[in-house]
Amino acid sequence: MEQPRRITDSFPRRRRPPPGRSKAKRCPQARPRAPPPAEEPPTPPPDQALLEMLRRFDLTWEYGPCTGITRLQRWERAQALGLSPPKLVRDALLEHGDNP
């Protein structure tokens, strides 16, 4: 009776180098890695009062569901429906538009 074939039987086997041997030791033409590009300094986080205000806006169901849209889109939708969302939220969103 013949044993069933395995998917790995169709591919050639490759041997792994023993632990402790890097590619640089095996390949003399290996170039040293370039340093990573300089990153911009991180922007300071917004203050906790602003984050708390945005959190309250997110959790308030009066302005409709918040899944699948941005905070600004949700604010504009609430404004269009006449729900009068807080203007401070819109100002904060426009001021920190690049910070998710």
Side-chain angles (χ1 to χ4, degrees):
M1 188 175 218
E2 189 176 315
Q3 289 191 358
R5 291 187 58 185
R6 296 183 182 180
I7 189 74
T8 55
D9 294 339
S10 302
F11 298 98
R13 293 185 181 201
R14 294 179 59 188
R15 295 182 184 222
R16 292 185 182 170
R21 289 192 60 185
S22 68
K23 188 174 184 177
K25 290 181 183 176
R26 289 184 291 135
C27 181
Q29 293 98 3
R31 296 181 186 171
R33 293 186 181 193
E39 296 181 12
E40 296 178 14
T43 58
D47 61 342
Q48 293 300 318
L50 175 65
L51 291 176
E52 182 61 33
M53 178 181 61
L54 292 175
R55 194 172 297 119
R56 273 189 270 121
F57 177 72
D58 289 344
L59 297 176
T60 304
W61 280 98
E62 176 185 348
Y63 307 118
C66 59
T67 55
I69 61 174
T70 63
R71 285 176 173 151
L72 187 58
Q73 289 172 334
R74 184 172 182 242
W75 190 95
E76 291 170 348
R77 181 187 62 194
Q79 181 69 23
L81 294 173
L83 300 176
S84 64
K87 295 203 184 297
L88 290 174
V89 171
R90 181 178 184 270
D91 295 341
L93 294 174
L94 292 175
E95 182 180 340
H96 301 285
D98 58 336
N99 188 350

